[in-house]
C-alpha cells in the first residue's frame, strides 16, 4: 500500500503563534509532496509543491514567508504556518507522489483553528 | 483556469445507479483522477484514466473522452456509505492536480 500520515490531526493555537505540520510517507519514498488547504464546503486548493532537497514551488497568492515548507527527506515534508491568524484556520492536507508515478496519496489532514 | 465543471449536489437511493459528470479544459491534458472524500477526511483514490473508454473497478467505473474534455464516474448498487463528495481532478503538463469543486452525493434509504 501507500500510506501517508500527518501530525498533528488537529491543533488549536493563539493568533500570532506558529504551527508546524508534518507529512510522512510511511511505506514508500516520496520525491514530491503537495500541500493543500480546504475551507468548509470548498475544494482542495493547492498551496505548494515540494520536491525533496529543493525549494518548494508556491502557487500564486500563497505567501512563501508565511507558509514555510521543508522537504528534508524522501519521507518527510513539513509545513509551518508562521504568525497564524484566524483566517488561516482551515483543513490542511498533504499528499505524496512516488517517482515516475502520477497518483497522489493523501494524508488524513490537519485541522487548524487559530483563536 | 482549467474550467472544471461538475454538479454541486446529487441525490440517489440505496441500490440505484448514479453518474457524476465532469468537463474540463482539454489543452495540455494528460489524464484524469477521481477521488472520494468523506466529510472531514482526506480524499481517497478511486480511478485514473488516461485513455478513452470505460474502466470498471467493482461497483465504480470511470469513463473518459479526451476529445470532448469529458469524464464521468458511475456508481452502481449504491450504499449509504457512498454518501460523500466526489472530486474530479484532471492532470495537465505538470505534476499538479487541479481539483474541481466536487459533487456532494447523498444516498437515501
Amino acid at each position: 500500500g501507500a500510506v501517508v500520515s500527518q501530525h498533528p490531526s488537529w491543533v488549536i493555537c493563539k493568533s500570532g503563534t506558529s504551527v508546524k505540520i508534518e507529512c510522512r510517507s510511511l511505506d514508500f519514498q516520496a520525491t514530491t509532496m503537495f500541500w493543500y488547504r480546504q475551507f468548509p464546503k470548498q475544494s482542495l486548493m493547492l498551496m505548494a509543491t515540494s520536491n525533496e532537497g529543493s525549494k518548494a514551488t508556491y502557487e500564486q497568492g500563497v505567501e512563501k514567508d508565511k507558509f514555510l515548507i521543508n522537504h528534508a527527506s524522501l519521507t518527510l515534508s513539513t509545513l509551518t504556518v508562521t504568525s497564524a491568524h484566524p483566517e488561516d484556520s482551515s483543513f490542511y492536507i498533504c499528499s505524496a507522489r512516488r517517482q515516475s508515478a502520477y497518483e497522489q496519496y493523501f494524508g488524513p489532514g490537519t485541522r487548524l483553528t487559530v483563536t | 483556469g482549467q474550467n472544471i465543471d461538475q454538479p454541486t449536489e446529487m441525490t440517489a437511493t440505496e441500490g440505484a445507479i448514479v453518474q457524476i459528470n465532469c468537463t474540463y479544459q482539454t489543452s495540455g491534458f494528460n489524464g484524469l483522477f477521481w477521488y472520494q472524500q468523506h466529510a472531514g477526511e482526506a480524499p481517497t483514490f478511486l480511478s485514473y484514466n488516461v485513455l478513452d473508454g470505460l474502466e470498471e473497478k467493482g461497483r465504480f467505473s470511470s469513463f473518459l473522452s479526451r476529445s470532448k474534455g469529458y469524464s464521468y464516474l458511475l456508481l452502481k448498487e449504491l450504499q449509504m456509505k457512498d454518501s460523500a463528495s466526489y472530486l474530479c481532478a484532471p492532470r495537465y503538463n505538470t505534476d499538479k492536480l487541479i481539483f474541481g469543486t466536487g459533487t456532494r452525493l447523498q444516498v437515501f434509504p
Side-chain angles (χ1 to χ4, degrees):
Chain A
V3 181
V4 177
S5 70
Q6 271 184 251
H7 178 81
S9 55
W10 60 270
V11 58
I12 301 172
C13 71
K14 291 187 177 179
S15 190
T17 61
S18 295
V19 174
K20 180 186 281 189
I21 302 170
E22 291 187 351
C23 178
R24 292 181 186 272
S25 56
L26 299 185
D27 53 0
F28 67 99
Q29 293 188 328
T31 51
T32 306
M33 288 185 170
F34 303 85
W35 287 96
Y36 295 85
R37 182 166 51 181
Q38 187 176 36
F39 292 105
K41 296 191 178 182
Q42 294 186 23
S43 191
L44 282 78
M45 296 300 297
L46 180 65
M47 299 176 67
T49 302
S50 167
N51 289 296
E52 187 265 337
S54 62
K55 289 185 179 180
T57 302
Y58 289 81
E59 294 300 300
Q60 196 170 10
V62 178
E63 299 174 56
K64 63 179 181 180
D65 294 329
K66 180 170 179 63
F67 298 99
L68 301 178
I69 291 172
N70 186 302
H71 194 154
S73 75
L74 285 171
T75 59
L76 173 65
S77 177
T78 61
L79 167 68
T80 301
V81 183
T82 62
S83 187
H85 288 115
E87 56 265 32
D88 298 324
S89 298
S90 188
F91 192 46
Y92 291 85
I93 309 174
C94 73
S95 69
R97 188 181 67 87
R98 286 188 176 101
Q99 190 173 17
S100 302
Y102 298 119
E103 181 182 337
Q104 293 183 25
Y105 300 94
F106 285 85
T110 297
R111 189 160 302 284
L112 170 64
T113 302
V114 184
T115 61
Chain B
Q2 278 70 29
N3 296 327
I4 302 163
D5 190 31
Q6 53 181 130
T8 306
E9 291 190 2
M10 297 182 73
T11 59
T13 52
E14 236 180 333
I17 299 173
V18 71
Q19 178 175 313
I20 302 174
N21 297 321
C22 172
T23 59
Y24 56 88
Q25 200 167 307
T26 57
S27 177
F29 174 81
N30 279 320
L32 188 138
F33 288 88
W34 282 96
Y35 282 86
Q36 179 192 61
Q37 186 180 26
H38 285 98
E41 299 180 12
T44 55
F45 170 79
L46 291 178
S47 66
Y48 178 49
N49 293 63
V50 177
L51 303 177
D52 284 353
L54 183 69
E55 292 198 9
E56 299 186 63
K57 194 185 293 185
R59 292 190 300 114
F60 292 6
S61 302
S62 55
F63 172 85
L64 180 69
S65 169
R66 295 179 67 109
S67 61
K68 294 182 180 177
Y70 168 67
S71 174
Y72 67 72
L73 181 69
L74 192 70
L75 294 77
K76 302 177 186 175
E77 300 169 20
L78 280 174
Q79 302 175 10
M80 297 294 290
K81 67 178 182 179
D82 297 330
S83 294
S85 287
Y86 291 86
L87 310 177
C88 168
R91 186 178 71 84
Y92 293 90
N93 290 330
T94 67
D95 285 339
K96 299 190 294 188
L97 297 184
I98 308 298
F99 283 88
T101 54
T103 298
R104 196 171 301 113
L105 173 66
Q106 283 188 289
V107 180
F108 293 100

